[in-house]
Amino acid sequence: MHAPTETTGHTHEATGSAIVTRFAPSPTGYLHIGGARTALFNWLFARKAGGKYLLRIEDTDRERSTEAAVNAILNGLAWLGLEADGPPLFQFARAARHREAAESLVERGGAFRCYLTPEEETALKDAARAEGKAFRSPWRNPDYGTPPPAARYVVRLRAPGDNERIEVADKVQGVVTTAGREIDDFILLRSDLTPTYMLAVVVDDQDMGVTHVIRGDDHLTNAARQTALIRAFGWRVPTYAHIPLIHGDDGKKLSKRHGALGVEEYRDMGYLPEAMRAYLLRLGWSKGDLDIVSTEQALELFDLEGLGRSPSRLDFAKMDSVNAHFIRLADDQRLVSLMREHAARRGLPDLRLDDAALVPAMAFLKERAKTLPELLTQFSFLLAERPLTRDEKTIKALSEEVVARLARLRPVLAAVETWEHVTIKTALDDFAAHEGVGFGKIGPGLRAALTGGLPAPDLAIALQLLGKTESLLRLDDVM
Ligand code: GLU
């Protein structure tokens, strides 16, 4: 009944059929970072090949699945820019189809109805375990007996024979062989005739035309059982790629503390979606010595061969530097909008300046920010309202002597015609020379007056960004 194992590695490529991948999250919580990475890999692989990337919501666990989680997953994927080709498929809605598939497998002999009572089942399972074998139901034997009338039954896979072998030619893990005796006659339909997860996945993948399954290696053992079931159906086995899970920076299993957070929390921490994609890509995939790979590049380069076998570690310092890279590349107007959204989401006051003031400043200020909150910090001296509140250090910096010097500087600045950092810088240098002091005698006081101690760039640039009027008013405030 079970054909000898065929290696499935290149089947789809060889037949030239279009590639179809899917991401199949269970909506029992937010879209966590591992799920986001799985989605990304499936999306890249399909899009690169001109195939389809589909989304399936595995909501068969009715007690744990919630609508809030479905929304969190959809929103997280949308934020990441990983839109599926077509509407999501909800697994629970397909229960009738799953049942029909199982019953048809019974007709064809690949599955059977099992009438064991719970007590019988427990006894048989204990015996099998004692022998180190997988459980087999006596009802797999068509001659076992006549079913008791009106008795409840479950439908089980007629698992491969003890001496058969199931091979999963995994793109990441290599060929993983499972002996037939390790696969039990697992349940396809429960006694209330609801489908099990194992059945639903296999039927859905078949009906969706899935050619490649890229998912976490916590599903590797499922792959053997699913392969056994797929073969019983006589369907084509997809190409598998089971990717190692993401670990914390200490190499331990990812927990909340390490950053096992919902994707939306990364958004709220101020990461850009393109940076998240680039970071997640390299968390488990590599090619040569490429470091930061943009999505555009990844759409040309991504391959299953580049998937690594060892678990990757979540590293916030690296994520920050990738984000800084994409902040530098991002459009200034977009960054201003993101900064406004970020402030709103954090419940901070609206940014009081309009885009005309903020966008030109972005080119100067984004160089020093790794995240959106850091960008806000860079802008804080601009956004602060006069009169500035000053910390103790800045008050100290504004000694009588310093203020007197600032008073002499004011008309010099007022006389600058073209208010640009280059001309401003010349004016400042000339003033220092005229006063017969180094710039070190002027800078700290001027900075204190202009920023109140908030971080700010080079003073000539800070003056340019503040504008002439505001700069002079801030000087007046300290006099
Ligand atoms: N629903 C499963 C999960 O969330 C994924 C199943 C699969 O990818 O085959 O882990």
Side-chain angles (χ1 to χ4, degrees):
M1 175 177 315
H2 298 281
T5 315
E6 52 173 357
T7 312
T8 56
H10 293 284
T11 320
H12 302 287
E13 289 93 327
T15 55
S17 56
I19 288 192
V20 180
T21 64
R22 61 15 174 223
F23 173 50
S26 306
T28 53
Y30 45 70
L31 173 63
H32 58 85
I33 191 140
R37 185 186 62 163
T38 300
L40 173 70
F41 288 172
N42 279 287
W43 181 86
L44 282 173
F45 187 66
R47 287 289 163 91
K48 182 197 168 203
K52 271 197 213 161
Y53 158 75
L54 304 174
L55 176 63
R56 179 168 78 228
I57 304 289
E58 301 208 318
D59 55 350
T60 34
D61 184 341
R62 300 314 287 166
E63 300 205 332
R64 293 177 58 228
S65 299
T66 66
E67 207 183 309
V70 172
N71 289 332
I73 290 168
L74 296 179
N75 291 339
L77 290 172
W79 176 72
L80 275 172
L82 302 178
E83 307 280 3
D85 298 304
L89 184 129
F90 288 85
Q91 190 162 63
F92 179 67
R94 291 174 40 83
R97 162 68 183 136
H98 301 145
R99 189 175 315 133
E100 180 245 336
E103 296 291 1
S104 81
L105 197 57
V106 172
E107 298 305 308
R108 295 173 36 204
F112 61 93
R113 297 196 177 96
C114 170
Y115 297 89
L116 290 179
T117 63
E119 297 72 32
E120 291 170 327
E121 184 182 327
T122 310
L124 286 167
K125 279 194 171 160
D126 289 347
R129 196 172 308 120
E131 274 183 75
K133 284 178 154 192
F135 160 77
R136 296 278 189 266
S137 163
W139 289 97
R140 64 187 268 130
N141 178 356
D143 306 323
Y144 182 62
T146 327
R152 283 160 78 85
Y153 63 87
V154 297
V155 171
R156 293 181 185 277
L157 173 75
R158 181 168 285 119
D162 285 358
N163 298 323
E164 285 184 56
R165 281 158 17 126
I166 294 289
E167 265 181 28
V168 175
D170 191 275
K171 285 286 193 183
V172 180
Q173 316 285 338
V175 178
V176 181
T177 306
T178 307
R181 83 183 104 72
E182 291 173 55
I183 298 176
D184 60 347
D185 288 345
F186 60 84
I187 295 182
L188 305 180
L189 291 182
R190 302 184 189 92
S191 58
D192 61 0
L193 301 185
T194 55
T196 57
Y197 163 73
M198 210 58 83
L199 173 68
V201 169
V202 163
V203 174
D204 288 350
D205 280 346
Q206 167 69 14
D207 290 358
M208 292 161 80
V210 171
T211 60
H212 291 73
V213 171
I214 305 168
R215 62 186 175 187
D217 67 7
D218 48 335
H219 286 287
L220 187 60
T221 46
N222 285 342
R225 309 172 101 211
Q226 285 162 4
T227 298
L229 179 55
I230 294 167
R231 281 168 49 187
F233 274 118
W235 293 337
R236 190 156 70 173
V237 181
T239 300
Y240 288 107
H242 286 91
I243 48 180
L245 301 184
I246 301 173
H247 285 198
D249 52 6
D250 52 5
K252 297 209 175 104
K253 205 177 161 247
L254 207 61
S255 67
K256 266 241 151 174
R257 188 173 53 79
H258 291 115
L261 309 165
V263 160
E264 283 164 305
E265 291 179 79
Y266 286 90
R267 179 200 63 195
D268 294 351
M269 285 189 270
Y271 295 101
L272 303 185
E274 64 268 37
M276 277 314 274
R277 291 196 299 268
Y279 177 72
L280 289 175
L281 172 66
R282 292 284 287 103
L283 205 52
W285 181 84
S286 61
K287 189 155 195 110
D289 51 13
L290 286 179
D291 182 14
I292 300 181
V293 181
S294 71
T295 303
E296 295 68 36
Q297 273 178 299
L299 282 167
E300 291 184 359
L301 296 176
F302 185 79
D303 55 11
L304 301 182
E305 288 68 34
L307 295 172
R309 285 179 76 158
S310 45
S312 26
R313 294 181 182 205
L314 197 64
D315 173 354
F316 276 96
K318 178 69 184 165
M319 207 187 298
D320 279 357
S321 74
V322 173
N323 205 49
H325 170 87
F326 284 97
I327 284 181
R328 283 194 294 275
L329 290 179
D331 174 70
D332 293 340
Q333 172 68 64
R334 173 180 167 229
L335 286 174
V336 168
S337 306
L338 287 175
M339 218 167 57
R340 288 191 196 282
E341 276 172 34
H342 188 78
R345 207 174 285 124
R346 291 228 163 167
L348 303 171
D350 285 347
L351 311 192
R352 68 177 183 96
L353 299 175
D354 56 20
D355 287 8
L358 297 182
V359 175
M362 188 57 83
F364 294 98
L365 299 180
K366 68 181 182 181
E367 297 292 326
R368 299 133 139 276
K370 296 192 291 292
T371 59
L372 293 177
E374 288 189 16
L375 206 50
L376 271 176
T377 305
Q378 293 300 320
F379 272 79
S380 57
F381 82 99
L382 265 188
L383 293 163
E385 263 188 286
R386 303 180 31 245
L388 304 181
T389 39
R390 293 170 207 290
D391 57 27
E392 229 168 276
K393 207 172 135 218
T394 35
I395 293 171
K396 266 202 196 135
L398 291 165
S399 65
E400 230 171 276
E401 186 197 339
V402 166
V403 173
R405 185 168 281 131
L406 291 179
R408 294 194 293 280
L409 173 62
R410 192 197 186 281
V412 174
L413 287 176
V416 174
E417 274 176 27
T418 316
W419 194 255
E420 270 171 11
H421 62 92
V422 185
T423 35
I424 297 170
K425 176 87 174 82
T426 310
L428 290 175
D429 287 344
D430 291 351
F431 176 71
H434 188 261
E435 294 269 311
V437 295
F439 198 69
K441 289 272 174 221
I442 302 173
L446 181 56
R447 186 173 285 277
L450 294 174
T451 71
L454 293 168
D458 175 78
L459 279 172
I461 292 173
L463 282 159
Q464 175 188 321
L465 300 182
L466 283 165
K468 191 170 179 176
T469 315
E470 176 75 13
S471 299
L472 295 178
L473 286 169
R474 289 190 185 194
L475 279 181
D476 291 342
D477 286 343
V478 298
M479 289 177 199

